[in-house]
């Protein structure tokens, strides 16, 4: 049999493409009006954190061509034109397709000397955005070459299955005759040594899979047992998929979640099968990449209470934006370049059967991995990083390494080099660094800090108190005053302590001192008082106006409701 170097060689790309017809303003101080004394005071004041400001940390999510391999970017840019989408989500989805094309055995060793830490080519990716953002078009464009590979491999499936079923039927007849013959030999006084050999069973029918869609974890384990290279789980809506966890066992999703956490690490799995006589189901490499769409309102509704779950923290997010679509023909040349890339990677790994392929970092690439690890630690100390986002950032060293592996495989195929004997270069690691920090981080911050903010009561409470401070131009504040103003948590000392602790950390308030110069005893929390950082009234002057207006309207609404109730009572 002739060895293939591209599993999509000879595909009509134009015909394949035609299947997809649907698809903070800083405030400048007037220094001339400041006295020397005021300047000295200001020099000792810490800048307060902008609790009302931009929660995306690094600005809006923006993809650029240098963040992705050119073959992927050019294809994604062309594919995004017709349905009217931004390029980034399609390009990111194409990385999941590459991960799915990489065959069994490939791993990256993130550290130069540590041979025990290995990361597989598995990524989880969620396409965010409102309803109607054409997230399905992202999946269609990105996953097309993997589906074409499956189509090529299964074109003879009916004939192969027919042959297998015929051989199985013959084997069943042979087994009946064998059992009958054995029983007669033993009946005539023969021993086990006299028994004839067991008929050889036909090899189970199987074909290579790359993508699965609507499946249970039980079925997924069986698919991966037959496909040790792993698969891509593609879902139009991730919410429906997660909601289906344990649907057939009246569970709460915990068991299925645990199964998928094993799939993230490409673990080996042995599952006992009580219902048949074939023995345990052994999955040598249970690796599953995931890609699918999810709406912002669904994230807020269904995931806010579980944002600290390490399951969601493994996802990378990209927001699909609705743009004006174009009536233009697909660029077959750009599609061919991308499809060839996927086909060559799949073929490369099919031919690599001499043990695992361990990809190693160059010293320069390893240094960038150390930078990403240091950055993840530093970001976790920043007051804007909430628990859910910090869980995600803690996964960065591993995710970064997996991106390096994917980019490295693409580069080696393009340059016709052996991925195992070629070190991951500095430019490859730099691209993974930029993609993670400049593209994926802003959307992760938006999801955890903005969309899912309803689950972070501590931040909500601190922001309310901060708004109260600037709206009333306060110089000092006490627990007594907070309780009078913030009725909903007036009796909740724990919530008050957490909120005021956050404001202290953000340099909004500082513990005040008694007349005798001693600080208030925190153990007697009800008597605590704080001084307000005077900078908040300068930095957030515009916000103060908004807060005053918002609170005024809130009072008017309450009064309007009271008037309406009084009117009803008068009837």
């Amino acid at each position: 049999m002739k060895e293939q170097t591209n599993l999509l060689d000879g595909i009509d790309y134009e015909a394949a493409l035609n299947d997809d017809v649907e698809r903070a303003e800083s405030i400048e101080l007037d220094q001339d009006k400041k006295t020397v004394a005021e300047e000295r005071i200001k020099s000792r004041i810490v800048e307060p954190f902008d609790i009302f400001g931009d929660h995306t940390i690094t600005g809006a999510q923006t993809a650029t061509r240098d963040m992705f391999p050119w073959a992927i970017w050019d294809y994604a840019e062309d594919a995004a034109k017709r349905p009217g989408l931004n390029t980034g989500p399609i390009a990111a989805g194409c990385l999941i397709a590459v991960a799915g094309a990489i065959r069994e055995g490939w791993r990256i060793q993130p550290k130069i000397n540590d041979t025990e830490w290995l990361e597989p080519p598995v990524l989880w990716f969620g396409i965010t955005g409102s309803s109607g953002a054409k997230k399905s078009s992202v999946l269609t464009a990105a996953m097309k070459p993997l589906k074409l590979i499956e189509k090529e491999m299964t074109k003879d499936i009916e004939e192969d299955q027919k042959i297998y079923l015929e051989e199985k039927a013959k084997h069943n007849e042979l087994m009946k005759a064998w059992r009958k013959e054995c029983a007669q030999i033993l009946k005539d006084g023969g021993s086990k040594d006299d028994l004839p050999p067991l008929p050889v069973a036909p090899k189970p029918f199987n074909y290579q899979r790359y993508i699965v869609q609507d499946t249970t974890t039980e079925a997924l384990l069986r698919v991966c047992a037959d496909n040790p290279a792993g698969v891509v789980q593609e879902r139009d809506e991730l919410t429906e998929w997660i909601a289906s966890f344990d649907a057939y066992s009246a569970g709460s999703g915990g068991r299925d979640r645990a199964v998928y956490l094993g799939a993230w690490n490409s673990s080996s799995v042995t599952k006992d099968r009580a219902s048949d006589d074939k023995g345990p189901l052994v999955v040598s490499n249970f690796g599953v990449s995931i890609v699918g769409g999810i709406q912002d309102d669904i994230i807020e509704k269904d995931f806010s209470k579980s944002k600290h779950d390490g399951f969601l923290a493994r996802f990378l997010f990209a927001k699909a934006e609705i743009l004006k679509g174009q009536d233009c023909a697909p660029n077959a040349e750009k599609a061919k370049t991308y499809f060839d890339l996927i086909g060559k990677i799949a073929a490369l790994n099919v031919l690599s059967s001499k043990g695992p392929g361990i990809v190693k970092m160059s010293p320069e690439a390893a240094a960038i991995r150390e930078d990403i690890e240091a950055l993840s630690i530093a970001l976790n100390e920043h007051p804007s990083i909430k628990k859910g986002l910090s869980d995600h950032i803690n996964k960065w060293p591993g995710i970064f390494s997996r991106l390096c592996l994917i980019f490295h495989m693409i580069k080696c195929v393009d340059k016709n080099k052996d991925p195992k004997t070629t070190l991951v270069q500095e430019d490859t690691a730099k691209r993974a660094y930029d993609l993670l920090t400049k593209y994926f981080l802003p959307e992760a911050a938006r999801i955890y800090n903005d969309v899912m903010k309803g689950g972070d009561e501590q931040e909500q409470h601190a922001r309310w108190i901060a708004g109260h401070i600037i709206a009333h131009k306060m110089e000092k504040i006490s627990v007594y005053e907070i309780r009078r103003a913030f009725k909903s948590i007036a009796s909740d000392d724990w919530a008050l302590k957490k909120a005021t602790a956050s404001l202290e950390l953000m340099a909004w308030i500082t513990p005040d001192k008694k007349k005798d110069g001693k600080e208030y005893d925190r153990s007697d929390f009800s008597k605590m008082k704080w001084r307000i950082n005077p900078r908040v009234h300068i930095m957030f002057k515009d916000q103060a106006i908004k807060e005053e207006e918002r609170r005024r309207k809130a009072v008017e609404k309450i009064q309007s409701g009271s008037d309406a109730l009084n009117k009803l009572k008068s009837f």
Side-chain angles (χ1 to χ4, degrees):
M1 179 179 177
K2 184 180 178 181
E3 290 184 344
Q4 285 185 277
T5 58
N6 178 1
L7 297 189
L8 287 177
D9 190 28
I11 287 292
D12 185 342
Y13 296 96
E14 293 192 44
L17 285 170
N18 288 334
D19 290 340
D20 297 328
V21 177
E22 190 228 74
R23 308 294 188 232
E25 177 181 300
S26 65
I27 299 174
E28 295 183 1
L29 301 174
D30 185 356
Q31 301 298 339
D32 295 334
K33 296 181 181 179
K34 299 296 179 182
T35 64
V36 174
E38 286 175 329
E39 284 302 309
R40 287 177 179 171
I41 291 172
K42 195 185 80 169
S43 68
R44 296 195 297 269
I45 295 175
V46 178
E47 289 291 283
F49 175 73
D50 184 2
I51 195 172
F52 308 107
D54 182 7
H55 289 278
T56 59
I57 301 176
T58 55
Q61 184 181 46
T62 304
T64 57
R65 191 171 189 256
D66 58 299
M67 293 178 181
F68 294 89
W70 290 359
I72 285 177
W73 177 266
D74 290 346
Y75 168 73
E77 186 178 45
D78 180 70
K81 292 178 182 178
R82 288 172 294 284
L85 284 167
N86 49 328
T87 303
I90 296 180
C94 290
L95 296 180
I96 308 302
V98 174
I102 297 174
R103 298 294 81 200
E104 180 187 9
W106 288 100
R107 298 288 189 276
I108 188 167
Q109 180 180 311
K111 294 183 177 180
I112 292 177
N113 298 312
D114 184 355
T115 59
E116 293 187 350
W117 179 19
L118 301 174
E119 292 286 347
V122 171
L123 290 176
W124 293 0
F125 174 51
I127 308 155
T128 62
S130 60
S131 177
K134 305 174 185 175
K135 296 183 284 292
S136 295
S137 297
V138 174
L139 298 175
T140 299
M143 295 295 113
K144 178 167 280 296
L146 284 186
K147 292 180 178 180
L148 286 174
I149 290 177
E150 275 200 352
K151 184 177 180 181
E152 285 295 299
M153 289 188 164
T154 59
K155 59 185 179 183
D156 298 324
I157 186 173
E158 291 185 4
E159 182 63 26
D160 292 340
Q161 188 173 29
K162 180 180 178 182
I163 294 172
Y164 170 72
L165 291 175
E166 289 175 353
E167 291 179 349
K168 186 178 180 181
K170 292 178 181 178
H171 178 258
N172 289 339
E173 293 299 319
L174 290 174
M175 286 297 298
K176 288 180 182 179
W178 178 81
R179 291 190 185 96
K180 184 177 181 180
E181 184 179 356
C182 289
Q184 187 63 48
I185 291 174
L186 294 174
K187 183 179 180 180
D188 294 341
S191 67
K192 291 183 179 180
D193 294 335
D194 300 322
L195 299 180
L198 186 71
V200 178
K203 188 176 180 180
F205 171 72
N206 179 42
Y207 67 93
Q208 199 157 22
R209 297 287 300 278
Y210 287 82
I211 296 176
V212 295
Q213 292 170 321
D214 188 10
T215 183
T216 63
T217 53
E218 305 286 341
L220 185 61
L221 283 166
R222 290 195 293 271
V223 169
C224 288
D226 294 333
N227 295 271
V231 293
V232 174
Q233 172 83 275
E234 179 195 3
R235 305 290 304 199
D236 277 347
E237 285 294 337
L238 289 174
T239 308
E240 294 178 2
W241 166 63
I242 294 174
S244 71
F245 283 3
D246 289 355
Y248 299 98
S249 57
S252 59
R255 183 174 60 85
D256 285 345
R257 274 170 124 80
V259 170
Y260 273 99
L261 289 175
W264 167 263
N265 293 315
S266 291
S267 305
S268 59
V269 177
T270 300
K271 180 176 176 56
D272 292 325
R273 297 181 287 194
S275 60
D276 63 33
D277 57 355
K278 296 180 181 179
L281 177 67
V282 179
V283 186
S284 61
N285 182 65
F286 183 45
V288 182
S289 290
I290 299 169
V291 60
I294 187 166
Q295 297 175 27
D296 284 5
D297 56 346
I298 300 297
I299 295 175
E300 181 180 14
K301 176 178 176 290
D302 293 345
F303 290 89
S304 289
K305 293 182 180 179
S306 62
K307 62 190 258 185
H308 307 329
D309 192 314
F311 180 83
L312 193 63
R314 287 164 168 79
F315 276 87
L316 297 169
F317 293 105
K319 187 174 183 180
E321 299 175 4
I322 303 174
L323 306 174
K324 185 178 180 180
Q326 299 181 25
D327 183 6
C328 58
N331 188 312
E333 183 179 349
K334 291 180 178 179
K336 183 179 187 304
T337 301
Y338 169 57
F339 289 12
D340 280 350
L341 170 68
I342 298 296
K344 288 176 181 178
I345 287 176
L348 169 70
N349 288 276
V350 167
L351 301 177
S352 300
S353 58
K354 297 180 180 179
I358 305 300
V359 171
K360 297 184 177 181
M361 298 275 204
S362 67
E364 295 80 9
I368 295 177
R369 184 205 59 77
E370 292 176 359
D371 289 344
I372 206 80
E373 188 168 344
L375 180 61
S376 67
I377 294 172
L379 282 175
N380 273 301
E381 299 300 321
H382 196 278
S384 71
I385 306 297
K386 304 303 178 290
K387 181 66 171 75
L389 182 56
S390 69
D391 288 345
H392 169 69
I393 291 174
N394 285 336
K395 307 296 180 188
W396 272 12
I399 294 174
F400 165 81
S401 300
R402 295 176 185 211
L403 287 171
C404 283
L405 174 58
I406 289 169
F407 287 158
H408 179 72
M409 298 296 288
I410 293 171
K411 188 175 183 180
C412 287
V413 164
D414 183 53
K415 302 294 184 182
N416 197 27
K417 292 184 178 180
D418 183 355
K420 197 187 308 186
T421 59
T422 306
L423 297 177
V424 175
Q425 296 302 305
E426 181 179 13
D427 62 328
T428 300
K430 181 64 168 59
R431 173 173 276 166
Y433 181 99
D434 287 346
L435 184 65
L436 189 57
T437 60
K438 296 180 181 179
Y439 183 65
F440 286 122
L441 173 59
E443 182 62 6
R446 188 187 73 84
I447 292 297
Y448 287 104
N449 287 1
D450 189 3
V451 176
M452 296 172 63
K453 66 184 178 183
D456 194 336
E457 292 184 343
Q458 177 182 336
E459 180 193 356
Q460 297 257 328
H461 295 159
R463 188 178 295 151
W464 192 97
I465 297 170
H468 179 75
I469 287 171
I470 60 174
H472 293 84
K473 301 177 177 59
M474 302 176 75
E475 296 181 359
K476 292 185 178 182
I477 195 169
S478 65
V479 171
Y480 174 75
E481 290 170 312
I482 295 173
R483 282 174 173 164
R484 284 192 62 187
F486 203 170
K487 300 294 186 182
S488 63
I489 62 169
S491 60
D492 190 345
D493 272 4
W494 176 251
L496 286 170
K497 287 178 181 179
K498 296 287 284 184
T500 53
S502 292
L503 289 173
E504 286 188 42
L505 180 63
M506 297 178 189
W508 271 71
I509 59 177
T510 306
D512 200 3
K513 294 182 179 180
K514 301 177 183 178
K515 291 181 180 179
D516 60 6
K518 295 181 179 179
E519 290 188 355
Y520 284 94
D521 187 357
R522 290 181 184 273
S523 62
D524 191 2
F525 182 71
S526 63
K527 295 181 179 179
M528 280 292 297
K529 296 181 179 181
W530 294 268
R531 298 187 303 277
I532 309 299
N533 184 342
R535 287 284 290 154
V536 303
H537 298 300
I538 300 170
M539 290 181 62
F540 308 113
K541 184 178 179 180
D542 292 343
Q543 184 67 33
I545 297 172
K546 294 177 183 177
E547 283 293 319
E548 289 177 15
E549 181 66 13
R550 184 184 67 79
R551 289 165 192 262
R552 182 186 65 77
K553 288 182 177 179
V555 170
E556 288 179 352
K557 288 180 179 179
I558 293 172
Q559 186 60 51
S560 177
S562 298
D563 293 343
L565 286 173
N566 290 332
K567 188 176 180 179
L568 285 172
K569 290 177 182 178
S570 66
F571 290 143

